Amino acid sequence: MSRLVHALAARMPATLPYTMLATVACGMLGGCVDQAAGGASGSRDQIRIVGSSTVYPFTTLVAEQFLANTPGAKPPVIESTGTGAGMKLFCAGIGAAHPDIEDASRRMHRSEYDACARHGVGAVLEVQVGIDGIALAESLRGPGLALTTTDLYRALAAAPGGRRNTARLWRDVDPALPAIPIQVYGPPATSGTRDSFVELIMAPGCEAVQPDTRALRERAPELFAARCHRMRDDGAYIDAGENDNLIVQKLRANPDAIGIFGYAYLEENGGAVRGVTLGGVAPSYATIADGSYPGARPLYLYVKKAHLRAIPGLRAFLRQYGALWGRQGPLVRRGLIASPEPVQRRAAAVIAQEIALDPAELR
């Protein structure tokens, strides 16, 4: 068994919305009939989903409702792999051995779409399910940090300003900050949350410190990434894996540390942690929805169009998602930020009309 997957076997308790309720092996799909690379001639009786740990709790809630409203349906198999690792699984091929849906906390890259094409995946639907924020958080017993994108770049970049990062205390970054160690628990390199963090927060801080880097974005993207995205690996930034609940636990145990995760986890754990302001703006539903919080980002589902014809219940599962993402819906109560109405209408049309993603829109 090459990896474990999570099956939603029963309704998730409200007090533990992100707990993985059952762990099963990929052999669970042994009854599937393989599909030809160019079509969807076979079928499987369970929906299989991989991807973002940020989108995971929303997808599990939808799965609960799907099971309640679809007599005879089997529990979807949902694996929290991180966006990047999930994209590799999603794009590895078409057929019963490959996932139907990719949860993503960032937009698909053109290189990932091209990998899907090389493996015969064919048309893909892109559905924006809502908005999230990259939340910075600390323990309720923490020092009450107030940071900027420049502070975070100077604290976490491998070589801010082109020089090896030697900052050990927040005061080394800005004399107005406290003299406590820089300790930031965050997601791994395979995570869409980390991709969004470096793009939405680290990169603006880098451009403020080194204005000449702005011209590199289009002209030399690899050099731009080396200067602005590369994180230090000497212990100041601590890879805490894909389990965002583990970061919350670490913040409980270490009041001087801060953590990085999706806003939903901040909302869910308000009794233990609080948001760290970024440029004077605290992460909240309102500041993420109106774009004033710097870490706001869209969340997506990617769906193989060929699998819609082969996997029982897949179309109904997508319709169920669309029924729950409204401003007053249960996904918002779990921590999702609802998309603006025009974005919701477009996403609903993609589902209803099965509109394929145009790869020309990707970069």
Side-chain angles (χ1 to χ4, degrees):
M1 297 179 183
S2 61
R3 60 186 179 272
L4 295 178
V5 295
H6 308 297
L8 184 64
R11 182 169 179 83
M12 188 177 295
T15 56
L16 293 173
Y18 311 127
T19 302
M20 297 174 183
L21 297 179
T23 304
V24 295
C26 288
M28 186 176 183
L29 302 178
C32 301
V33 178
D34 286 339
Q35 299 169 354
S41 57
S43 64
R44 142 170 34 88
D45 60 1
Q46 285 177 296
I47 298 165
R48 185 178 170 209
I49 305 166
V50 296
S52 167
S53 63
T54 298
V55 184
Y56 175 85
F58 307 130
T59 297
T60 57
L61 188 150
V62 173
E64 296 168 19
Q65 296 295 315
F66 167 74
L67 288 174
N69 296 328
T70 312
K74 290 193 174 181
V77 177
I78 307 171
E79 186 176 2
S80 178
T81 63
T83 298
M87 286 290 185
K88 291 180 181 178
L89 294 168
F90 180 80
C91 288
I94 195 171
H98 303 287
D100 312 306
I101 296 176
E102 155 75 359
D103 289 339
S105 57
R106 58 158 171 80
R107 200 174 198 195
M108 175 182 272
H109 296 153
R110 178 58 188 260
S111 60
E112 291 166 333
Y113 184 92
D114 291 344
C116 276
R118 287 195 302 273
H119 293 105
V121 168
V124 172
L125 276 57
E126 178 185 76
V127 182
Q128 182 176 330
V129 298
I131 303 170
D132 183 43
I134 308 296
L136 303 175
E138 65 178 4
S139 165
L140 295 180
R141 297 180 291 121
L145 284 170
L147 302 174
T148 67
T149 57
T150 300
D151 292 334
L152 286 161
Y153 173 70
R154 287 177 170 154
L156 299 179
R163 295 178 296 277
R164 185 175 66 86
N165 199 332
T166 59
R168 295 297 168 191
L169 307 176
W170 285 106
R171 181 169 291 177
D172 298 334
V173 172
D174 182 335
L177 294 173
I180 58 175
I182 299 169
Q183 300 174 86
V184 179
Y185 295 105
T190 56
S191 169
T193 297
R194 175 140 155 197
D195 289 343
S196 296
F197 176 76
V198 298
E199 183 61 35
L200 297 173
I201 295 174
M202 292 283 286
C206 173
E207 292 174 351
V209 172
Q210 307 174 84
D212 63 305
T213 58
R214 294 172 186 165
L216 296 177
R217 275 187 178 271
E218 299 298 330
R219 179 167 56 84
E222 291 184 1
L223 182 57
F224 179 85
R227 289 192 185 180
C228 298
H229 291 176
R230 190 160 64 89
M231 307 283 279
R232 62 195 296 186
D233 57 6
D234 58 359
Y237 181 86
I238 304 154
D239 180 341
E242 293 288 355
N243 187 346
D244 293 336
N245 285 312
L246 179 61
I247 297 178
V248 173
Q249 293 170 21
K250 289 181 179 296
L251 297 182
R252 287 175 183 263
N254 184 359
D256 286 341
I258 66 173
I260 301 169
F261 41 62
Y263 171 74
Y265 288 87
L266 177 62
E267 178 93 345
E268 182 65 26
N269 292 281
V273 297
R274 63 179 168 231
V276 172
T277 63
L278 193 55
V281 181
S284 70
Y285 188 100
T287 60
I288 294 168
D290 68 16
S292 59
Y293 180 71
R297 57 168 176 176
L299 301 177
Y300 299 96
L301 300 182
Y302 291 93
V303 187
K304 292 171 183 170
K305 188 169 183 177
H307 283 206
L308 291 169
R309 300 190 297 271
I311 306 303
L314 185 55
R315 286 187 171 104
F317 183 86
L318 294 178
R319 290 194 298 270
Q320 186 71 73
Y321 229 119
L324 302 180
W325 65 37
R327 178 65 180 87
Q328 304 302 320
L331 291 178
V332 168
R333 292 195 291 273
R334 185 161 284 187
L336 184 73
I337 310 298
S339 297
E341 287 292 335
V343 176
Q344 289 188 15
R345 288 195 296 271
R346 168 64 181 171
V350 169
I351 292 172
Q353 301 172 36
E354 299 179 7
I355 301 169
L357 171 64
D358 180 355
E361 299 176 6
L362 304 175
R363 62 180 179 87

